[in-house]
Amino acid sequence: DDAEYRKRSEMRKKLYDINTEAARYFYKCLNSDAGKLAREYISKRGIGNMVIRKFGIGYAPDEWTGLLDHLTGKGFSGELISMSGLIKSKSGSRPGQGYDLFRNRLIFPIFDQMNRIVAFGGRVFDDSMPKYLNSPETPVYTKGRHLYGFNFAKSSRAGRLIVVEGYMDLLAVYQAGIDYVVASLGTALTEQQAMLLRNYSEEVIICYDSDAAGQTATMK
């Protein structure tokens, strides 16, 4: 009914607000003293400031509750913070109790077609595992429905799209002046992602890694 629908859209709007605030926090951390190693890593990979700004790349500091404290301080409820997927809660704990999902990682905000931040990806810049960590599914994010960078690529005049595997691949291609690139956030291109590509462009170039996994995914 109407009341239920209004309640749901209000909750989704607040989750977008939380994600925006989290992205601001991560971006600020990248440009702080704590983000020095992360800045060095991304610069070594040849990614310049303009691309960092455009994609809102950030850094999650090596703290257990840095983001949680920040969001709580901004007045977001524990329940909403838990729903955002940005913190991990211990079983049996109250909403909003737990610790940050992303710690000591480069952060890549994932936007939907309407330019709203729906999720985040995090990458280590040393040898620790797992190399990549992504937001869980939430009321505003369903895995396999979004393409990283699509919000920018769809306004390219090229008439074609290049699909790469990961965040850093996309940033490197974008840095080289190619603005019609998207990343499938993993190797398996989903049906929903394929439909998104098809709606936008007749010509799609799959440019996955040359390793076995990448080649298999390309053939598929």
Side-chain angles (χ1 to χ4, degrees), residues 12-195:
R12 289 165 66 90
K13 187 192 168 303
K14 283 182 178 155
L15 288 175
Y16 293 130
D17 291 345
I18 284 183
N19 287 341
T20 303
E21 192 50 57
R24 283 192 189 119
Y25 168 80
F26 291 137
Y27 184 76
K28 202 168 155 193
C29 290
L30 179 68
N31 296 292
S32 70
D33 290 347
K36 185 170 179 282
L37 289 176
R39 285 197 306 277
E40 283 170 6
Y41 171 81
I42 204 162
S43 155
K44 207 161 65 197
R45 293 290 298 261
I47 310 302
N49 281 335
M50 195 197 82
V51 173
I52 290 170
R53 267 202 311 276
K54 184 165 183 118
F55 286 85
I57 311 303
Y59 167 66
D62 199 3
E63 296 169 16
W64 284 98
T65 60
L67 177 63
L68 175 57
D69 296 342
H70 177 79
L71 292 173
T72 307
K74 288 285 176 185
F76 291 108
S77 73
E79 197 177 357
L80 275 166
I81 297 172
S82 294
M83 281 169 92
S84 73
L86 286 163
I87 65 163
K88 285 188 86 110
S89 299
K90 300 182 183 79
S91 60
S93 62
R94 290 208 313 275
Q97 286 190 325
Y99 54 92
D100 295 355
L101 172 66
F102 298 108
R103 298 183 309 283
N104 200 28
R105 286 173 182 267
L106 267 178
I107 298 291
F108 309 91
I110 300 165
F111 294 82
D112 67 7
Q113 283 170 271
M114 321 266 286
N115 270 322
R116 298 174 302 204
I117 298 172
V118 292
F120 296 89
R123 186 197 198 285
V124 296
F125 40 93
D126 53 21
D127 296 327
S128 55
M129 296 302 270
K131 190 156 97 172
Y132 285 101
L133 189 62
N134 292 312
S135 288
E137 295 208 343
T138 69
V140 296
Y141 176 62
T142 308
K143 283 185 182 142
R145 286 188 82 149
H146 301 276
L147 288 159
Y148 180 63
F150 185 77
N151 57 314
F152 297 128
K154 69 186 174 76
S155 52
S156 165
R157 300 217 170 115
R160 67 173 74 95
L161 284 171
I162 293 176
V163 185
V164 295
E165 273 179 42
Y167 308 102
M168 293 304 291
D169 303 331
L170 180 140
L171 296 176
V173 173
Y174 201 94
Q175 182 68 48
I178 296 168
D179 65 355
Y180 47 93
V181 58
V182 298
S184 56
L185 306 170
T187 44
L189 192 68
T190 67
E191 216 169 296
Q192 290 106 319
Q193 286 173 329
M195 278 164 68

